[in-house]
Short mmCIF file of all heavy atoms in Angstrom, two decimals:
data_model
loop_
_atom_site.label_atom_id
_atom_site.label_comp_id
_atom_site.label_asym_id
_atom_site.label_seq_id
_atom_site.Cartn_x
_atom_site.Cartn_y
_atom_site.Cartn_z
N MET A 1 13.47 12.36 -25.23
CA MET A 1 12.73 11.07 -25.37
C MET A 1 11.36 11.23 -24.68
O MET A 1 11.26 11.74 -23.61
CB MET A 1 13.57 10.00 -24.71
CG MET A 1 13.01 8.60 -24.93
SD MET A 1 14.03 7.31 -24.19
CE MET A 1 13.44 7.33 -22.56
N VAL A 2 10.40 10.72 -25.36
CA VAL A 2 9.02 10.80 -24.82
C VAL A 2 8.84 9.63 -23.79
O VAL A 2 9.18 8.50 -24.12
CB VAL A 2 7.98 10.70 -25.92
CG1 VAL A 2 6.56 10.67 -25.34
CG2 VAL A 2 8.13 11.85 -26.88
N ASN A 3 8.35 9.97 -22.63
CA ASN A 3 8.07 8.95 -21.63
C ASN A 3 6.68 8.32 -21.88
O ASN A 3 5.69 9.00 -21.66
CB ASN A 3 8.15 9.56 -20.22
CG ASN A 3 7.94 8.53 -19.12
OD1 ASN A 3 7.78 7.36 -19.41
ND2 ASN A 3 7.90 8.99 -17.89
N LEU A 4 6.67 7.13 -22.38
CA LEU A 4 5.41 6.50 -22.73
C LEU A 4 4.80 5.76 -21.51
O LEU A 4 3.63 5.41 -21.55
CB LEU A 4 5.62 5.50 -23.87
CG LEU A 4 6.07 6.14 -25.20
CD1 LEU A 4 6.35 5.07 -26.22
CD2 LEU A 4 5.00 7.10 -25.73
N MET A 5 5.59 5.54 -20.48
CA MET A 5 5.12 4.83 -19.31
C MET A 5 4.65 5.84 -18.28
O MET A 5 5.29 6.84 -18.04
CB MET A 5 6.20 3.94 -18.71
CG MET A 5 6.81 2.95 -19.68
SD MET A 5 5.67 1.67 -20.18
CE MET A 5 5.56 0.72 -18.65
N VAL A 6 3.51 5.56 -17.68
CA VAL A 6 2.98 6.45 -16.68
C VAL A 6 2.71 5.63 -15.41
O VAL A 6 2.07 4.61 -15.47
CB VAL A 6 1.65 7.10 -17.18
CG1 VAL A 6 1.13 8.04 -16.10
CG2 VAL A 6 1.88 7.83 -18.47
N VAL A 7 3.24 6.14 -14.33
CA VAL A 7 2.96 5.49 -13.03
C VAL A 7 1.54 5.82 -12.60
O VAL A 7 1.12 6.97 -12.63
CB VAL A 7 3.96 5.92 -11.94
CG1 VAL A 7 3.53 5.42 -10.57
CG2 VAL A 7 5.37 5.45 -12.30
N MET A 8 0.79 4.78 -12.27
CA MET A 8 -0.61 4.97 -11.87
C MET A 8 -0.75 4.82 -10.37
O MET A 8 -0.07 4.01 -9.73
CB MET A 8 -1.48 3.91 -12.54
CG MET A 8 -1.43 3.87 -14.06
SD MET A 8 -2.16 5.32 -14.82
CE MET A 8 -3.87 5.18 -14.24
N VAL A 9 -1.64 5.59 -9.81
CA VAL A 9 -2.06 5.42 -8.40
C VAL A 9 -3.51 4.92 -8.37
O VAL A 9 -4.35 5.59 -8.95
CB VAL A 9 -1.93 6.75 -7.62
CG1 VAL A 9 -2.30 6.51 -6.15
CG2 VAL A 9 -0.53 7.34 -7.74
N TYR A 10 -3.71 3.80 -7.70
CA TYR A 10 -5.05 3.23 -7.67
C TYR A 10 -5.80 3.70 -6.44
O TYR A 10 -5.39 3.36 -5.30
CB TYR A 10 -4.97 1.71 -7.73
CG TYR A 10 -4.36 1.23 -9.02
CD1 TYR A 10 -3.08 0.67 -9.03
CD2 TYR A 10 -5.04 1.35 -10.22
CE1 TYR A 10 -2.50 0.25 -10.23
CE2 TYR A 10 -4.48 0.94 -11.40
CZ TYR A 10 -3.21 0.39 -11.40
OH TYR A 10 -2.63 -0.01 -12.59
N SER A 11 -6.87 4.42 -6.66
CA SER A 11 -7.56 5.04 -5.55
C SER A 11 -8.27 4.00 -4.68
O SER A 11 -8.59 4.26 -3.51
CB SER A 11 -8.60 6.08 -6.04
OG SER A 11 -9.51 5.44 -6.94
N ASP A 12 -8.50 2.81 -5.18
CA ASP A 12 -9.15 1.79 -4.36
C ASP A 12 -8.16 1.15 -3.38
O ASP A 12 -8.55 0.49 -2.42
CB ASP A 12 -9.79 0.69 -5.24
CG ASP A 12 -8.79 -0.02 -6.14
OD1 ASP A 12 -7.80 0.66 -6.57
OD2 ASP A 12 -8.99 -1.20 -6.43
N LYS A 13 -6.84 1.40 -3.58
CA LYS A 13 -5.84 0.85 -2.69
C LYS A 13 -5.15 1.91 -1.84
O LYS A 13 -4.48 1.63 -0.86
CB LYS A 13 -4.76 0.07 -3.46
CG LYS A 13 -5.33 -1.19 -4.13
CD LYS A 13 -4.20 -1.94 -4.83
CE LYS A 13 -4.74 -3.24 -5.43
NZ LYS A 13 -3.71 -3.93 -6.18
N CYS A 14 -5.32 3.17 -2.23
CA CYS A 14 -4.73 4.27 -1.47
C CYS A 14 -5.81 5.20 -1.03
O CYS A 14 -6.51 5.80 -1.83
CB CYS A 14 -3.72 5.04 -2.36
SG CYS A 14 -3.04 6.52 -1.50
N ASP A 15 -5.97 5.31 0.30
CA ASP A 15 -7.00 6.18 0.85
C ASP A 15 -6.52 7.64 0.99
O ASP A 15 -7.26 8.47 1.45
CB ASP A 15 -7.45 5.68 2.22
CG ASP A 15 -8.42 4.49 2.09
OD1 ASP A 15 -9.04 4.36 1.03
OD2 ASP A 15 -8.51 3.73 3.07
N GLY A 16 -5.24 7.79 0.70
CA GLY A 16 -4.67 9.17 0.81
C GLY A 16 -3.53 9.17 1.80
O GLY A 16 -3.24 8.24 2.51
N ILE A 17 -2.87 10.32 1.79
CA ILE A 17 -1.63 10.49 2.54
C ILE A 17 -1.85 10.39 4.02
O ILE A 17 -1.02 9.88 4.77
CB ILE A 17 -0.99 11.81 2.10
CG1 ILE A 17 0.50 11.83 2.46
CG2 ILE A 17 -1.70 12.98 2.67
CD1 ILE A 17 1.34 11.25 1.40
N ASP A 18 -3.00 10.84 4.51
CA ASP A 18 -3.28 10.90 5.95
C ASP A 18 -3.40 9.51 6.55
O ASP A 18 -3.10 9.33 7.74
CB ASP A 18 -4.51 11.73 6.24
CG ASP A 18 -4.30 13.19 6.00
OD1 ASP A 18 -3.15 13.62 5.94
OD2 ASP A 18 -5.30 13.91 5.85
N THR A 19 -3.89 8.56 5.80
CA THR A 19 -4.06 7.22 6.34
C THR A 19 -3.08 6.23 5.79
O THR A 19 -3.19 5.04 6.04
CB THR A 19 -5.50 6.71 6.01
OG1 THR A 19 -5.68 6.71 4.59
CG2 THR A 19 -6.56 7.54 6.70
N CYS A 20 -2.06 6.70 5.11
CA CYS A 20 -1.06 5.79 4.50
C CYS A 20 -0.26 5.09 5.58
O CYS A 20 0.34 5.75 6.47
CB CYS A 20 -0.10 6.61 3.64
SG CYS A 20 1.29 5.65 3.00
N PRO A 21 -0.21 3.76 5.59
CA PRO A 21 0.59 3.04 6.59
C PRO A 21 2.10 3.29 6.44
O PRO A 21 2.84 3.03 7.38
CB PRO A 21 0.25 1.57 6.28
CG PRO A 21 -0.34 1.51 4.91
CD PRO A 21 -0.94 2.88 4.65
N GLY A 22 2.49 3.82 5.31
CA GLY A 22 3.88 4.16 5.11
C GLY A 22 4.16 5.65 5.29
O GLY A 22 5.25 6.15 4.99
N GLU A 23 3.18 6.37 5.84
CA GLU A 23 3.30 7.82 6.11
C GLU A 23 3.75 8.58 4.87
O GLU A 23 4.66 9.40 4.92
CB GLU A 23 4.24 8.06 7.28
CG GLU A 23 3.70 7.43 8.56
CD GLU A 23 4.65 7.62 9.75
OE1 GLU A 23 5.84 7.93 9.54
OE2 GLU A 23 4.17 7.48 10.89
N GLY A 24 3.18 8.21 3.75
CA GLY A 24 3.47 8.93 2.51
C GLY A 24 4.85 8.61 1.95
O GLY A 24 5.51 9.48 1.37
N VAL A 25 5.23 7.34 2.07
CA VAL A 25 6.59 6.96 1.61
C VAL A 25 6.78 7.18 0.11
O VAL A 25 7.91 7.42 -0.33
CB VAL A 25 6.84 5.47 1.99
CG1 VAL A 25 5.96 4.51 1.26
CG2 VAL A 25 8.32 5.15 1.79
N CYS A 26 5.73 7.16 -0.65
CA CYS A 26 5.85 7.37 -2.10
C CYS A 26 6.51 8.77 -2.40
O CYS A 26 7.35 8.88 -3.22
CB CYS A 26 4.54 7.19 -2.82
SG CYS A 26 3.21 8.24 -2.23
N LEU A 27 6.07 9.74 -1.65
CA LEU A 27 6.59 11.09 -1.83
C LEU A 27 8.04 11.14 -1.34
O LEU A 27 8.87 11.78 -2.00
CB LEU A 27 5.79 12.12 -1.07
CG LEU A 27 4.49 12.50 -1.68
CD1 LEU A 27 3.34 11.96 -0.82
CD2 LEU A 27 4.37 13.99 -1.82
N LYS A 28 8.34 10.46 -0.24
CA LYS A 28 9.68 10.55 0.35
C LYS A 28 10.72 9.93 -0.53
O LYS A 28 11.88 10.36 -0.57
CB LYS A 28 9.67 9.90 1.74
CG LYS A 28 8.78 10.61 2.74
CD LYS A 28 8.70 9.84 4.03
CE LYS A 28 7.67 10.45 4.98
NZ LYS A 28 7.42 9.63 6.15
N VAL A 29 10.36 8.86 -1.27
CA VAL A 29 11.39 8.15 -2.08
C VAL A 29 11.58 8.81 -3.44
O VAL A 29 12.55 8.46 -4.14
CB VAL A 29 11.10 6.66 -2.22
CG1 VAL A 29 11.08 5.97 -0.87
CG2 VAL A 29 9.79 6.41 -2.98
N CYS A 30 10.70 9.68 -3.83
CA CYS A 30 10.79 10.26 -5.16
C CYS A 30 11.82 11.44 -5.19
O CYS A 30 11.52 12.48 -4.66
CB CYS A 30 9.45 10.72 -5.67
SG CYS A 30 9.56 11.40 -7.38
N ASP A 31 12.95 11.16 -5.76
CA ASP A 31 14.00 12.16 -5.83
C ASP A 31 13.68 13.29 -6.75
O ASP A 31 14.27 14.38 -6.70
CB ASP A 31 15.30 11.53 -6.31
CG ASP A 31 15.87 10.55 -5.30
OD1 ASP A 31 15.60 10.74 -4.08
OD2 ASP A 31 16.57 9.62 -5.70
N LEU A 32 12.73 13.11 -7.65
CA LEU A 32 12.42 14.09 -8.67
C LEU A 32 11.24 14.99 -8.32
O LEU A 32 10.83 15.83 -9.13
CB LEU A 32 12.13 13.41 -10.02
CG LEU A 32 13.30 12.56 -10.56
CD1 LEU A 32 12.90 11.91 -11.89
CD2 LEU A 32 14.55 13.42 -10.76
N ASP A 33 10.71 14.79 -7.07
CA ASP A 33 9.49 15.51 -6.68
C ASP A 33 8.42 15.43 -7.75
O ASP A 33 7.77 16.42 -8.11
CB ASP A 33 9.84 17.00 -6.40
CG ASP A 33 10.73 17.19 -5.19
OD1 ASP A 33 10.61 16.33 -4.29
OD2 ASP A 33 11.48 18.12 -5.14
N ALA A 34 8.25 14.21 -8.24
CA ALA A 34 7.28 14.00 -9.32
C ALA A 34 5.90 13.61 -8.80
O ALA A 34 4.98 13.35 -9.60
CB ALA A 34 7.80 12.92 -10.27
N ILE A 35 5.73 13.60 -7.48
CA ILE A 35 4.44 13.27 -6.89
C ILE A 35 3.98 14.49 -6.10
O ILE A 35 4.74 14.99 -5.25
CB ILE A 35 4.52 12.05 -5.98
CG1 ILE A 35 5.09 10.84 -6.74
CG2 ILE A 35 3.14 11.69 -5.43
CD1 ILE A 35 5.32 9.61 -5.90
N GLU A 36 2.76 14.89 -6.35
CA GLU A 36 2.17 15.93 -5.53
C GLU A 36 0.87 15.46 -4.97
O GLU A 36 0.29 14.47 -5.43
CB GLU A 36 2.02 17.25 -6.29
CG GLU A 36 1.05 17.24 -7.42
CD GLU A 36 0.98 18.62 -8.10
OE1 GLU A 36 1.95 19.39 -8.05
OE2 GLU A 36 -0.08 18.92 -8.62
N ILE A 37 0.39 16.16 -3.92
CA ILE A 37 -0.83 15.74 -3.27
C ILE A 37 -1.98 16.58 -3.84
O ILE A 37 -1.94 17.80 -3.84
CB ILE A 37 -0.74 15.93 -1.73
CG1 ILE A 37 0.37 15.07 -1.17
CG2 ILE A 37 -2.05 15.61 -1.08
CD1 ILE A 37 0.21 13.60 -1.42
N VAL A 38 -3.00 15.90 -4.34
CA VAL A 38 -4.18 16.54 -4.88
C VAL A 38 -5.40 15.97 -4.12
O VAL A 38 -5.62 14.73 -4.17
CB VAL A 38 -4.33 16.28 -6.40
CG1 VAL A 38 -5.58 16.94 -6.89
CG2 VAL A 38 -3.11 16.84 -7.13
N ASP A 39 -6.10 16.82 -3.44
CA ASP A 39 -7.25 16.38 -2.63
C ASP A 39 -6.86 15.25 -1.71
O ASP A 39 -7.62 14.30 -1.52
CB ASP A 39 -8.41 15.92 -3.56
CG ASP A 39 -9.01 17.07 -4.32
OD1 ASP A 39 -8.92 18.23 -3.88
OD2 ASP A 39 -9.55 16.81 -5.42
N GLY A 40 -5.65 15.36 -1.09
CA GLY A 40 -5.23 14.39 -0.10
C GLY A 40 -4.58 13.14 -0.64
O GLY A 40 -4.10 12.31 0.12
N CYS A 41 -4.58 12.97 -1.97
CA CYS A 41 -4.08 11.77 -2.57
C CYS A 41 -2.86 12.05 -3.46
O CYS A 41 -2.80 13.11 -4.09
CB CYS A 41 -5.14 11.06 -3.39
SG CYS A 41 -6.49 10.45 -2.38
N PRO A 42 -1.92 11.12 -3.54
CA PRO A 42 -0.78 11.29 -4.42
C PRO A 42 -1.15 11.32 -5.88
O PRO A 42 -2.02 10.53 -6.32
CB PRO A 42 0.16 10.15 -4.08
CG PRO A 42 -0.71 9.09 -3.51
CD PRO A 42 -1.85 9.83 -2.84
N PHE A 43 -0.50 12.20 -6.62
CA PHE A 43 -0.76 12.33 -8.04
C PHE A 43 0.61 12.42 -8.74
O PHE A 43 1.42 13.27 -8.37
CB PHE A 43 -1.60 13.55 -8.33
CG PHE A 43 -1.86 13.82 -9.78
CD1 PHE A 43 -2.83 13.12 -10.48
CD2 PHE A 43 -1.09 14.78 -10.47
CE1 PHE A 43 -3.03 13.36 -11.84
CE2 PHE A 43 -1.33 15.02 -11.83
CZ PHE A 43 -2.32 14.31 -12.48
N VAL A 44 0.86 11.55 -9.70
CA VAL A 44 2.19 11.52 -10.37
C VAL A 44 2.18 12.55 -11.51
O VAL A 44 1.29 12.49 -12.40
CB VAL A 44 2.50 10.13 -10.88
CG1 VAL A 44 3.84 10.16 -11.67
CG2 VAL A 44 2.56 9.13 -9.73
N LEU A 45 3.15 13.43 -11.50
CA LEU A 45 3.31 14.40 -12.57
C LEU A 45 4.09 13.72 -13.70
O LEU A 45 5.28 13.47 -13.58
CB LEU A 45 4.06 15.63 -12.07
CG LEU A 45 3.42 16.36 -10.88
CD1 LEU A 45 4.37 17.42 -10.29
CD2 LEU A 45 2.13 16.99 -11.33
N GLU A 46 3.36 13.40 -14.74
CA GLU A 46 3.94 12.64 -15.84
C GLU A 46 5.19 13.24 -16.41
O GLU A 46 6.17 12.53 -16.72
CB GLU A 46 2.86 12.53 -16.92
CG GLU A 46 3.22 11.58 -18.07
CD GLU A 46 2.06 11.50 -19.06
OE1 GLU A 46 0.93 11.81 -18.75
OE2 GLU A 46 2.35 11.10 -20.22
N GLU A 47 5.20 14.56 -16.53
CA GLU A 47 6.35 15.22 -17.16
C GLU A 47 7.59 15.21 -16.28
O GLU A 47 8.72 15.40 -16.74
CB GLU A 47 6.01 16.66 -17.55
CG GLU A 47 5.67 17.59 -16.39
CD GLU A 47 4.22 17.47 -15.89
OE1 GLU A 47 3.52 16.52 -16.31
OE2 GLU A 47 3.82 18.30 -15.05
N ALA A 48 7.43 14.97 -14.94
CA ALA A 48 8.54 14.99 -14.04
C ALA A 48 9.05 13.59 -13.69
O ALA A 48 10.18 13.40 -13.26
CB ALA A 48 8.15 15.71 -12.74
N CYS A 49 8.23 12.57 -13.92
CA CYS A 49 8.56 11.20 -13.51
C CYS A 49 9.47 10.53 -14.57
O CYS A 49 9.19 10.59 -15.74
CB CYS A 49 7.25 10.43 -13.37
SG CYS A 49 7.47 8.66 -13.14
N ASN A 50 10.52 9.85 -14.06
CA ASN A 50 11.39 9.11 -14.96
C ASN A 50 11.12 7.63 -14.95
O ASN A 50 11.92 6.83 -15.45
CB ASN A 50 12.86 9.40 -14.71
CG ASN A 50 13.35 8.79 -13.38
OD1 ASN A 50 12.56 8.20 -12.64
ND2 ASN A 50 14.61 8.93 -13.10
N ASN A 51 10.02 7.24 -14.29
CA ASN A 51 9.58 5.87 -14.25
C ASN A 51 10.56 4.94 -13.57
O ASN A 51 10.70 3.77 -13.90
CB ASN A 51 9.31 5.35 -15.67
CG ASN A 51 8.27 4.27 -15.72
OD1 ASN A 51 7.29 4.30 -15.03
ND2 ASN A 51 8.51 3.24 -16.56
N CYS A 52 11.26 5.46 -12.54
CA CYS A 52 12.27 4.67 -11.85
C CYS A 52 11.67 3.53 -11.04
O CYS A 52 12.31 2.54 -10.75
CB CYS A 52 13.09 5.57 -10.91
SG CYS A 52 12.21 6.14 -9.45
N GLY A 53 10.41 3.66 -10.63
CA GLY A 53 9.73 2.59 -9.92
C GLY A 53 9.92 2.58 -8.41
O GLY A 53 9.38 1.68 -7.75
N LEU A 54 10.65 3.50 -7.87
CA LEU A 54 10.87 3.50 -6.41
C LEU A 54 9.59 3.62 -5.62
O LEU A 54 9.41 2.95 -4.60
CB LEU A 54 11.84 4.64 -6.02
CG LEU A 54 13.33 4.37 -6.12
CD1 LEU A 54 14.12 5.61 -5.82
CD2 LEU A 54 13.73 3.24 -5.18
N CYS A 55 8.72 4.49 -6.06
CA CYS A 55 7.44 4.65 -5.35
C CYS A 55 6.62 3.37 -5.43
O CYS A 55 6.01 2.96 -4.43
CB CYS A 55 6.64 5.84 -5.94
SG CYS A 55 6.31 5.72 -7.68
N VAL A 56 6.64 2.73 -6.59
CA VAL A 56 5.90 1.48 -6.81
C VAL A 56 6.41 0.40 -5.84
O VAL A 56 5.64 -0.29 -5.18
CB VAL A 56 6.04 1.02 -8.24
CG1 VAL A 56 5.37 -0.32 -8.46
CG2 VAL A 56 5.48 2.08 -9.19
N MET A 57 7.73 0.31 -5.73
CA MET A 57 8.35 -0.73 -4.93
C MET A 57 8.14 -0.49 -3.40
O MET A 57 8.08 -1.43 -2.65
CB MET A 57 9.83 -0.81 -5.16
CG MET A 57 10.17 -1.42 -6.51
SD MET A 57 11.97 -1.63 -6.75
CE MET A 57 12.47 0.02 -7.20
N ASN A 58 7.98 0.78 -3.01
CA ASN A 58 7.92 1.11 -1.60
C ASN A 58 6.51 1.27 -1.02
O ASN A 58 6.33 1.32 0.16
CB ASN A 58 8.74 2.38 -1.34
CG ASN A 58 10.21 2.08 -1.28
OD1 ASN A 58 10.76 1.62 -0.28
ND2 ASN A 58 10.88 2.30 -2.42
N CYS A 59 5.51 1.41 -1.90
CA CYS A 59 4.19 1.60 -1.40
C CYS A 59 3.70 0.35 -0.63
O CYS A 59 3.62 -0.76 -1.22
CB CYS A 59 3.18 1.86 -2.56
SG CYS A 59 1.49 1.92 -2.00
N PRO A 60 3.31 0.50 0.66
CA PRO A 60 2.92 -0.66 1.46
C PRO A 60 1.57 -1.24 1.02
O PRO A 60 1.21 -2.35 1.38
CB PRO A 60 2.86 -0.10 2.88
CG PRO A 60 2.67 1.36 2.70
CD PRO A 60 3.37 1.75 1.43
N ASN A 61 0.79 -0.47 0.28
CA ASN A 61 -0.53 -0.93 -0.16
C ASN A 61 -0.52 -1.43 -1.59
O ASN A 61 -1.57 -1.77 -2.09
CB ASN A 61 -1.55 0.22 -0.04
CG ASN A 61 -1.95 0.52 1.37
OD1 ASN A 61 -1.46 -0.09 2.31
ND2 ASN A 61 -2.80 1.50 1.55
N GLN A 62 0.62 -1.52 -2.22
CA GLN A 62 0.67 -1.86 -3.64
C GLN A 62 -0.35 -1.04 -4.44
O GLN A 62 -1.06 -1.56 -5.31
CB GLN A 62 0.43 -3.37 -3.84
CG GLN A 62 1.57 -4.26 -3.41
CD GLN A 62 1.53 -4.57 -1.95
OE1 GLN A 62 0.51 -4.93 -1.40
NE2 GLN A 62 2.67 -4.37 -1.24
N ALA A 63 -0.35 0.21 -4.13
CA ALA A 63 -1.36 1.10 -4.75
C ALA A 63 -0.82 1.80 -6.00
O ALA A 63 -1.56 2.59 -6.60
CB ALA A 63 -1.82 2.18 -3.74
N MET A 64 0.42 1.53 -6.33
CA MET A 64 1.01 2.17 -7.53
C MET A 64 1.50 1.09 -8.44
O MET A 64 1.97 0.04 -8.03
CB MET A 64 2.15 3.10 -7.11
CG MET A 64 1.75 4.09 -6.07
SD MET A 64 3.11 5.19 -5.58
CE MET A 64 2.83 6.59 -6.70
N SER A 65 1.50 1.38 -9.75
CA SER A 65 2.06 0.44 -10.71
C SER A 65 2.57 1.23 -11.90
O SER A 65 2.17 2.36 -12.13
CB SER A 65 1.03 -0.60 -11.14
OG SER A 65 0.12 -0.02 -12.07
N LYS A 66 3.45 0.60 -12.64
CA LYS A 66 3.95 1.25 -13.84
C LYS A 66 3.91 0.28 -15.01
O LYS A 66 3.58 -0.86 -14.85
CB LYS A 66 5.40 1.76 -13.61
CG LYS A 66 6.39 0.69 -13.39
CD LYS A 66 7.80 1.31 -13.34
CE LYS A 66 8.88 0.24 -13.41
NZ LYS A 66 10.19 0.78 -13.66
S1 SF4 B 1 8.50 6.28 -10.63
FE1 SF4 B 1 10.27 7.32 -9.63
S2 SF4 B 1 10.27 9.38 -10.53
FE2 SF4 B 1 8.25 8.49 -10.96
S3 SF4 B 1 6.94 9.20 -9.31
FE3 SF4 B 1 7.79 7.17 -8.72
S4 SF4 B 1 9.63 7.56 -7.49
FE4 SF4 B 1 9.09 9.47 -8.65
S1 SF4 B 2 2.81 5.05 -0.27
FE1 SF4 B 2 1.08 4.10 -1.31
S2 SF4 B 2 -0.58 4.06 0.20
FE2 SF4 B 2 0.96 5.57 0.88
S3 SF4 B 2 0.25 7.57 0.06
FE3 SF4 B 2 1.66 6.65 -1.43
S4 SF4 B 2 0.38 5.54 -2.90
FE4 SF4 B 2 -0.83 5.89 -1.06
#
């Protein structure tokens, strides 16, 4: 099945993993390791993400959406 939904990370709400008030909780809650850090910021690997929404629900900055 093709995953048509893509989780987005909004750079205006996420300054990066180093300053995250949740200490990078988006990475910790992703069971599929679908988030990697690129230039200090989380990046969702579309092919690995099942759109479960855990990262979206847990981000303290509401910096992710699906
Ligand atoms: S939606 Fe789920 S699978 Fe996709 S990046 Fe977030 S936590 Fe990981
Ligand atoms: S939890 Fe939110 S604020 Fe923290 S690194 Fe992830 S996207 Fe950025």
Side-chain angles (χ1 to χ4, degrees):
M1 188 177 82
V2 176
N3 182 4
L4 297 175
M5 304 292 289
V6 180
V7 172
M8 301 292 298
V9 182
Y10 297 108
S11 58
D12 58 329
K13 293 183 177 176
C14 176
D15 282 337
I17 200 86
D18 289 342
T19 57
C20 174
E23 299 178 341
V25 66
C26 56
L27 284 112
K28 296 174 189 171
V29 298
C30 182
D31 292 332
L32 300 178
D33 292 332
I35 304 174
E36 65 179 29
I37 299 300
V38 178
D39 293 333
C41 295
F43 176 79
V44 177
L45 301 170
E46 187 179 340
E47 64 278 10
C49 171
N50 71 356
N51 207 40
C52 72
L54 274 176
C55 58
V56 176
M57 286 186 281
N58 282 278
C59 173
N61 286 1
Q62 288 83 49
M64 307 180 93
S65 77
K66 64 174 193 168

